[in-house]
Amino acid sequence: MPAIAIIGAQWGDEGKGKATDLLGSSVDYVVKFNGGNNAGHTVVINTPEGKTEKYALHLLPSGILTPGCTPVIGNGVVVDLDVLIEELDGLEARGVDTSRLVISASAHVIADYNRTLDKVTERFLGSRRLGTTGRGIGPTYADKMNRIGIRIQDLFDEKILRAKVEGALELKGQVLTKIYNRRAPSVDETVAELLTHADRIRPMVRDTGLLLNQALDRGETVLLEAGQATLLDVDHGTYPFVTSSSATAGGACTGSGIPPMRMDQVIGIVKAYTTRVGEGPFPTELFDDAGEHLRKVGAEFGTTTGRPRRCGWYDAVIARYAARVNGVTDFVLTKLDVLTGLEQVPVCVAYDVNGTRHDEMPVNQTDFHHAVPIYEFLPGWWEDISGARTFEDLPANAQAYVRAVEQMSGARISAVGVGPSRDATVVVHPLI
Ligand code: GDP
Ligand code: IMO
Ligand code: MG
């Protein structure tokens, strides 16, 4: 049985949480392999009593909501321990069983000094800021690469933890006080903070790479759920306006310990239009009523920071790029319902960069900043599609939109989202 990756094909918030939740009942493990509590996944579930339950997850994999499925925080994740405990307690209070959660001993931990550094660096950058979520993600990944990071396993040996915190603060304490004029926390304070929840999480900590490979050996199904997305990936995204982790299919391997040849399927989640949070280039961004319309109808406000998301039309150039970078086998096209009621639906098919047509994503950052979308205009539809469950249920123009977008985007569209809840999905080709 397979290892399957779910990745974001745009700038995040494509509906990865819903897609993971949708597949959750047929998988044994759901693994978060990158990022931390910068992610925000909203999952809406219809209960057997006919009520709607909404969950906002940041650090926990969406599989935590599926009975029988084992959620895993992989080695590629950065963990804010307070957020972890808060999220677990919040779910337990709502009757969700969280006892199956497993955490990699090699995942890194977000210390308070890195949360502070994230915020003060952004302030220091002024107009050059990235618009980070301020959760300490970038500085914690920087420590990992600098080899001064603190890992989950360090929490269970106070002597080692203290030595590592001393090493990190030797440098970072100076940066905080001498560059940013902030108080640096003491080693004692930091160690005490990191040890607060150590006893509680100890039973959850495992060698998750071994666990997952053994699960695959037994023929079980493992779903690898990305935080963020292709265009926010530190290598393949719109650098420097990216997050600090590997959010693409390659990152699913390094962030979980599952080797590339064991990966069977890569599902790309792509919204029927485009959004972005924070700074950075965004060729199809709308600054007019149409953008406001998408934001309002699509409820495009951040799950993590509440910031209004920047909105624009579908961009087939970046979808093709995501298909290439990730080896997408299937796309899930989400939020098609949000496009209902438009006379015409523009789709960006290529860019004009200073008079030259680009059918592929320009590798040069300056070119991408200057990319002007070349649009094709597809006829809209007015019918309410939220009840559609088969492709034939969709009005002809909505079907034509899906087919046209599929043609341009480099992989087949296997499912279409027509509403926020788990069942509001049109399955064109079964995903597993
Ligand atoms: P993620 O970060 O990729 O998991 O996405 P978010 O959860 O941040 O944002 C996606 C939002 O769209 C959530 O509020 C979902 O409930 C919602 N959503 C997902 N799929 C659909 C869909 O097909 N239609 C509509 N209307 N909403 C959807
Ligand atoms: P999900 O998983 C959308 C953006 C931030 C900022 C940049 C860097 O819900 O799709 P960071 O705090 O990661 O250093 O910020 O990345 N960003 C996201 N945008 N969805 C996300 O996650 C994001 N996670 C980070 O807004 O521009
Ligand atoms: Mg999100």
Side-chain angles (χ1 to χ4, degrees):
M1 286 293 274
I4 303 162
I6 283 199
I7 56 93
Q10 296 157 320
W11 278 282
D13 305 320
E14 298 91 349
K16 299 177 291 291
K18 179 189 151 181
T20 304
D21 177 64
L22 187 69
L23 299 178
S25 55
S26 13
V27 303
D28 301 294
Y29 292 82
V30 173
V31 187
K32 180 179 170 80
F33 64 81
N34 75 305
N37 57 314
N38 47 348
H41 305 306
T42 303
V43 180
V44 181
I45 294 170
N46 290 329
T47 65
E49 301 81 47
K51 280 197 281 185
T52 309
E53 290 268 1
K54 190 168 167 177
Y55 295 91
L57 300 168
H58 299 287
L59 185 52
L60 295 171
S62 308
I64 195 110
L65 300 172
T66 310
C69 165
T70 301
V72 177
I73 292 181
N75 58 276
V77 174
V78 290
V79 180
D80 184 316
L81 297 165
D82 284 341
V83 171
L84 174 71
I85 297 300
E86 207 178 296
E87 217 161 86
L88 285 173
D89 287 348
L91 288 178
E92 285 286 341
R94 293 178 68 178
V96 177
D97 173 19
T98 63
S99 63
R100 289 160 289 115
L101 179 69
V102 181
I103 304 171
S104 167
S106 302
H108 281 243
V109 173
I110 302 178
D112 192 43
Y113 47 77
N114 280 333
R115 280 189 293 267
T116 308
L117 273 170
D118 192 357
K119 290 185 196 121
V120 295
T121 312
E122 281 283 277
R123 224 168 294 154
F124 184 77
L125 284 170
S127 63
R128 289 180 296 117
R129 72 185 176 278
L130 304 177
T132 74
T133 59
R135 303 296 196 257
I137 307 294
T140 305
Y141 277 113
D143 284 1
K144 175 177 173 172
M145 294 306 174
N146 263 336
R147 292 155 296 182
I148 55 166
I150 313 288
R151 296 193 293 172
I152 292 279
Q153 57 191 273
D154 302 328
L155 305 177
F156 311 120
D157 185 330
E158 193 174 335
K159 213 166 127 214
I160 285 183
L161 177 66
R162 180 168 291 276
K164 292 201 171 179
V165 169
E166 265 168 10
L169 270 177
E170 209 171 300
L171 171 75
K172 310 200 70 141
Q174 306 259 6
V175 174
L176 275 169
T177 50
K178 296 193 177 150
I179 297 179
Y180 294 115
N181 201 23
R182 301 288 291 233
R183 190 184 79 84
S186 69
V187 172
D188 282 347
E189 272 173 300
T190 304
V191 169
E193 172 220 324
L194 292 172
L195 287 178
T196 314
H197 305 295
D199 287 338
R200 172 121 181 240
I201 68 162
R202 192 193 301 260
M204 307 172 198
V205 178
R206 301 273 289 277
D207 177 347
T208 50
L210 178 65
L211 176 84
L212 295 169
N213 277 286
Q214 287 175 336
L216 290 171
D217 290 343
R218 288 193 300 272
E220 294 174 349
T221 305
V222 175
L223 189 64
L224 297 135
E225 178 195 42
Q228 294 76 53
T230 306
L231 276 294
L232 288 173
D233 181 277
V234 69
D235 282 275
H236 302 289
T238 48
Y239 190 90
F241 300 99
V242 293
T243 191
S244 300
S245 70
S246 300
T248 41
C253 295
T254 50
S256 69
I258 295 179
M261 296 305 281
R262 294 201 95 163
M263 200 76 74
D264 299 83
Q265 199 179 350
V266 179
I267 302 174
I269 314 301
V270 68
K271 229 184 281 205
Y273 51 98
T274 313
T275 63
R276 170 161 211 172
V277 192
E279 307 300 320
F282 177 1
T284 63
E285 181 169 15
L286 294 163
F287 299 96
D288 56 7
D289 290 350
E292 202 48 58
H293 173 82
L294 291 176
R295 190 172 305 115
K296 202 163 140 227
V297 180
E300 296 296 352
F301 295 89
T303 314
T304 300
T305 57
R307 290 180 286 180
R309 294 174 182 152
R310 299 158 63 192
C311 295
W313 299 121
Y314 189 85
D315 185 336
V317 182
I318 67 168
R320 279 200 295 279
Y321 177 69
R324 163 158 60 92
V325 166
N326 296 288
V328 169
T329 54
D330 304 83
F331 273 123
V332 174
L333 183 74
T334 62
K335 300 189 108 165
L336 186 66
D337 52 301
V338 175
L339 297 184
T340 299
L342 300 168
E343 195 82 42
Q344 285 191 315
V345 194
V347 173
C348 168
V349 294
Y351 303 133
D352 180 313
V353 181
N354 303 321
T356 306
R357 182 181 166 114
H358 284 245
D359 288 287
E360 298 294 337
M361 175 101 179
V363 71
N364 188 298
Q365 192 197 343
T366 310
D367 285 348
F368 193 61
H369 276 267
H370 292 134
V372 176
I374 298 171
Y375 285 115
E376 223 170 73
F377 295 86
L378 303 172
W381 60 93
W382 297 87
E383 300 87 338
D384 176 4
I385 62 169
S386 58
R389 294 297 175 268
T390 67
F391 193 68
E392 291 66 37
D393 291 341
L394 294 172
N397 284 354
Q399 290 189 16
Y401 181 83
V402 174
R403 288 295 177 227
V405 158
E406 180 174 53
Q407 272 279 305
M408 298 166 190
S409 303
R412 68 180 188 179
I413 292 176
S414 293
V416 180
V418 292
S421 72
R422 193 184 270 179
D423 56 345
T425 308
V426 169
V427 178
V428 188
H429 307 285
L431 278 164
I432 296 189

